[in-house]
Amino acid sequence: GTIMLAVDREVAFPHECAAWPPAEIGRRVEQALAEAGALHLRARATGELSGGELQRAAIARALVADPLLVLADEPTGNLDSTTAEEIIELLVSRVRGAGLAMMLVTHDPLIAAHADRVLTMADGLLT
């Protein structure tokens, strides 16, 4: 069967793999969840979350290790338009606030409008 972890364990996973001290992992996970607006979800199983809640947890997990580059593949693909707008604004705000780079793939022109630069792919060619 599928193993469901609590959100805080899911977000901590990258650091646990790197064998970080537990206290540091806990501090970083709490900070990342708070910044993603998901601190209240920390003890819930990921299988119990809505699409928007899952995306907030995914943003926390992606940013918890202070990456230089964030890769986001359709981060709002399964969300209603209101939740999609909230999630993209959160993601862009966090990425810009931390001075990170992000490559985002989307089919949604409203989401692409948040980018500093947009490349379009048609028939395998970037324009």
Side-chain angles (χ1 to χ4, degrees):
T2 303
I3 297 173
M4 286 192 295
L5 297 176
V7 169
D8 59 352
R9 299 283 303 157
E10 189 76 32
V11 173
F13 185 72
H15 285 311
E16 290 172 348
C17 289
W20 283 45
E24 179 65 11
I25 293 172
R27 185 189 68 74
R28 285 176 170 259
V29 166
E30 186 168 322
Q31 179 182 356
L33 286 170
E35 290 174 355
L39 189 56
H40 65 289
L41 304 173
R42 69 182 316 151
R44 295 200 27 217
T46 54
E48 301 172 352
L49 304 181
S50 70
E53 290 171 335
L54 280 171
Q55 290 306 89
R56 288 180 184 278
I59 289 169
R61 184 175 181 187
L63 299 176
V64 72
D66 297 326
L68 297 176
L69 173 65
V70 175
L71 302 175
D73 183 10
E74 294 286 357
T76 61
N78 296 323
L79 305 175
D80 63 78
S81 61
T82 301
T83 304
E85 186 66 24
E86 289 174 10
I87 293 300
I88 197 63
E89 286 179 7
L90 169 66
L91 184 56
V92 169
S93 170
R94 282 286 293 120
V95 165
R96 286 187 176 144
L100 306 175
M102 176 170 62
M103 184 181 345
L104 183 140
V105 176
T106 185
H107 288 90
D108 187 338
L110 297 175
I111 298 304
H114 289 272
D116 295 328
R117 181 175 179 203
V118 176
L119 298 174
T120 304
M121 182 177 277
D123 300 322
L125 300 172
L126 286 176
T127 59

